[in-house]
């Protein structure tokens, strides 16, 4: 049931039974049973045999936003980072092998970069994804890389190259990329730790690469410092 609901959320569009069969691998009869129960509780709506998340999903979102300690602590730091740099700053987490934005402060500049809150992207490209990959437990990282290769998003050569890159990121303490996900977008991402060296989230600053120039190191230092402050707060709990 949770697989069906999370799939509907990830697709970000109405989905037919056929779509859900392909996405989840579940049988039609199983899907109809799960959808009927989810619809009864208001977590799913349907129209013309197309299914999408229902109104009861909204209280879950509101409850998460009101009670997430990390998000609440990070918001003021993101606001300050965005104000100091003039660029967009986000808080991202790994969820089901995807990188998901849970908080976003957008730049006030006319030309700006941004994440969509709640949207998931494969845990593969970009500073945020690579930071979260680099600072996850080794066994989990191996599973994610295996699944990316299985799904055709990596070949063996690319996997070896990525493993080397992740090792470099771990040694450096942050990831910096340019135009990996979207052309012209530069990003710096630093991990947030609660215990050990395993990241629970990442702070990412992004900007059009035309505005970076000789600012790259200064932007990197500010982002790393914000992540370190948040890590210190979490570890003091």
């Amino acid at each position: 049931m949770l697989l069906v609901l999370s799939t509907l959320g990830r697709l970000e569009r109405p989905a037919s039974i056929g779509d859900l069969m392909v996405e989840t691998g579940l049988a039609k009869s199983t899907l109809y049973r799960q959808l009927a129960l989810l619809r009864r509780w208001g977590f799913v709506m349907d129209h013309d045999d197309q299914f999408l998340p229902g109104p009861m999903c909204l209280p879950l979102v509101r409850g998460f936003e009101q009670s997430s300690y990390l998000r609440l602590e990070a918001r003021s730091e993101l606001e300050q980072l965005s104000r100091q740099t003039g660029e967009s700053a986000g808080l991202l987490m790994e969820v089901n092998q995807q990188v998901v934005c849970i908080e976003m402060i957008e730049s006030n500049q006319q030309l700006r970069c941004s994440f969509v809150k709640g949207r998931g992207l494969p845990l593969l490209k970009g500073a945020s994804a690579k930071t979260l990959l680099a600072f996850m437990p080794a066994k989990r990282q191996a599973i994610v890389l295996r699944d990316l290769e299985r799904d055709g998003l990596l070949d063996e050569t690319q996997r070896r190259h990525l493993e080397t890159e992740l090792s470099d990121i771990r040694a450096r303490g942050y990831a910096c990329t340019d135009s990996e996900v979207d052309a012209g977008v530069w990003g710096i991402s630093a991990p947030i730790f609660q215990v050990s060296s395993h990241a629970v989230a990442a702070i990412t600053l992004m900007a059009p690469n035309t505005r970076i120039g000789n600012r790259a190191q200064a932007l990197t230092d500010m982002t790393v410092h914000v992540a370190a402050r948040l890590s210190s707060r979490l570890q003091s709990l």
Side-chain angles (χ1 to χ4, degrees), residues 11 51 61 87 105 107 126 135 139 145 180 183 187-189 192 202:
L11 288 176
F51 299 89
V61 174
E87 306 299 348
I105 304 298
S107 165
F135 292 95
K139 288 183 178 180
L145 295 178
E180 278 200 0
I188 161 67
S189 183
I192 299 172

Side-chain angles (χ1 to χ4, degrees), residues 107-155:
S107 165
N108 289 325
Q109 303 202 52
Q110 186 172 3
L111 178 61
R112 59 184 179 268
C113 307
S114 180
F115 286 114
V116 177
K117 285 175 63 175
R119 174 175 293 173
L121 293 173
L123 201 64
L124 177 61
K125 294 181 179 180
S128 305
K130 288 181 175 178
T131 294
L132 292 168
L133 259 178
F135 292 95
M136 65 172 48
K139 288 183 178 180
R140 178 156 177 75
Q141 182 189 98
I143 291 172
V144 172
L145 295 178
R146 181 201 65 195
D147 290 349
L148 289 169
E149 190 172 357
R150 179 202 63 198
D151 295 340
L153 298 176
L154 282 175
D155 59 29

Side-chain angles (χ1 to χ4, degrees), residues 26 49 64 66 77 115 124 194-195 218 231 234 237:
L26 297 175
D49 293 324
F64 170 75
Q66 290 176 347
E77 294 281 4
F115 286 114
L124 177 61
Q194 186 165 13
V195 292
S231 296
L234 287 179
L237 292 177

